[in-house]
Amino acid sequence: QVQLVESGGGSVQAGGSLRLSCAVSGYSTETYCLAWFRQPPGKRREAVGTFNTADRRASYDVTAKGRFTVSTDNGNNTLYLQINRLQPEDTAVYFCAARSPGYTACWAPPSRYTYWGQGTQVTVSS
């Protein structure tokens, strides 16, 4: 069973940067889809970016592209989310997630992701 543990959140000023990490364990070689989601206060959980471990390609929400970068280490044991030029509207709890083994459609709603971390808070002040 895949286990995910996020770290790296915190409070930052607008314009700053953060790199979130997600330690992935229990990883199956057929676990192709890893992702970062976020949930702003009072809003629904939304995808920020996904990573396909088979072709090592990342996909992004249109609002995230350019400021957010999703990547992994070579062994796919750690998933990263680099966020640059942080804005107050980036304030949210950030979650990493994994789909069940065998699925390759990584850009998918939260309901399609089976495994979740506990989340890490990112707060951006203006």
Side-chain angles (χ1 to χ4, degrees):
Q1 179 161 330
V2 179
Q3 294 184 318
L4 306 158
V5 179
E6 302 96 337
S7 61
S11 297
V12 296
Q13 296 275 352
S17 298
L18 275 178
R19 188 173 81 158
L20 308 183
S21 300
C22 174
V24 183
S25 61
Y27 181 85
S28 162
T29 56
E30 294 186 342
T31 302
Y32 300 122
C33 295
L34 303 174
W36 285 99
F37 290 81
R38 68 181 181 183
Q39 188 161 13
K43 296 186 179 180
R44 300 176 70 174
R45 197 168 295 189
E46 59 189 17
V48 174
T50 66
F51 191 87
N52 187 310
T53 62
D55 59 16
R56 300 192 64 76
R57 293 182 68 177
S59 298
Y60 301 94
D61 178 74
V62 61
T63 62
K65 203 168 185 180
R67 295 193 300 119
F68 291 67
T69 304
V70 179
S71 62
T72 72
D73 62 1
N74 287 336
N76 297 319
N77 295 310
T78 306
L79 178 71
Y80 300 103
L81 178 66
Q82 176 73 37
I83 314 173
N84 298 324
R85 303 190 304 280
L86 279 155
Q87 302 167 0
E89 50 266 39
D90 294 322
T91 295
V93 179
Y94 285 73
F95 298 90
C96 60
R99 288 202 74 173
S100 292
Y103 288 99
T104 57
C106 298
W107 193 257
S111 60
R112 300 297 185 183
Y113 276 78
T114 303
Y115 305 102
W116 291 86
Q118 81 288 354
T120 186
Q121 176 72 46
V122 172
T123 302
V124 184
S125 57
S126 57

